Amino acid sequence: VQLVESGGGLVQPGGSLRLSCAASGFTFSRYAMNWYRQAPGKERELVATITSAGGSTNYADSVKGRFTVSRDNAKNTVYLQMNSLKPEDTAVYYCNTNLDWVRTYWGQGTQVTVSS
């Protein structure tokens, strides 16, 4: 299983970024996908979840109305569209999936920095 995030970078407050996570090594369309983030000195937190077919999504309260998670099962890719970014969104963002109670997989992370 491999998860590879991309799309992070430096953006000014109020700006937008779109993160991508390319998945391989498992049947992508069968599994929910998650985005987490971890800011310096803080615990990793769940940001967004999307079900296997993309029919249902959930968000942390801190990003509701600003972030949108989506997926393209034909491309084995999950996205996180981040709008109206705030300095407190600065973190390393990770893609995650859980194939069962034991097998959980993470990408290497992509840095998002929101600063003027």
Side-chain angles (χ1 to χ4, degrees):
V1 172
Q2 191 172 19
L3 302 172
V4 180
E5 301 97 335
S6 61
L10 173 64
V11 63
Q12 291 187 343
S16 297
L17 282 174
R18 189 175 84 152
L19 306 183
S20 299
C21 171
S24 60
F26 65 105
T27 307
F28 180 76
S29 61
R30 292 184 180 177
Y31 296 95
M33 298 295 297
N34 308 302
W35 284 99
Y36 283 78
R37 69 184 180 187
Q38 188 166 21
K42 295 188 177 182
E43 292 188 357
R44 193 171 294 189
E45 65 169 335
L46 179 61
V47 174
T49 296
I50 186 166
T51 54
S52 57
S56 180
T57 57
N58 281 290
Y59 300 92
D61 288 343
S62 58
V63 307
K64 279 181 182 176
R66 300 189 298 121
F67 289 12
T68 302
V69 60
S70 62
R71 65 192 295 161
D72 185 336
N73 284 347
K75 296 182 178 179
N76 286 3
T77 302
V78 61
Y79 305 98
L80 186 66
Q81 177 67 44
M82 305 185 296
N83 299 329
S84 303
L85 282 161
K86 305 175 181 180
E88 51 264 43
D89 294 318
T90 295
V92 179
Y93 284 72
Y94 297 91
C95 180
N96 161 267
T97 191
N98 302 297
L99 303 192
D100 54 37
W101 290 108
V102 175
R103 294 180 296 166
T104 184
Y105 297 94
W106 298 89
Q108 83 288 353
T110 186
Q111 176 71 47
V112 172
T113 303
V114 184
S115 175
S116 55

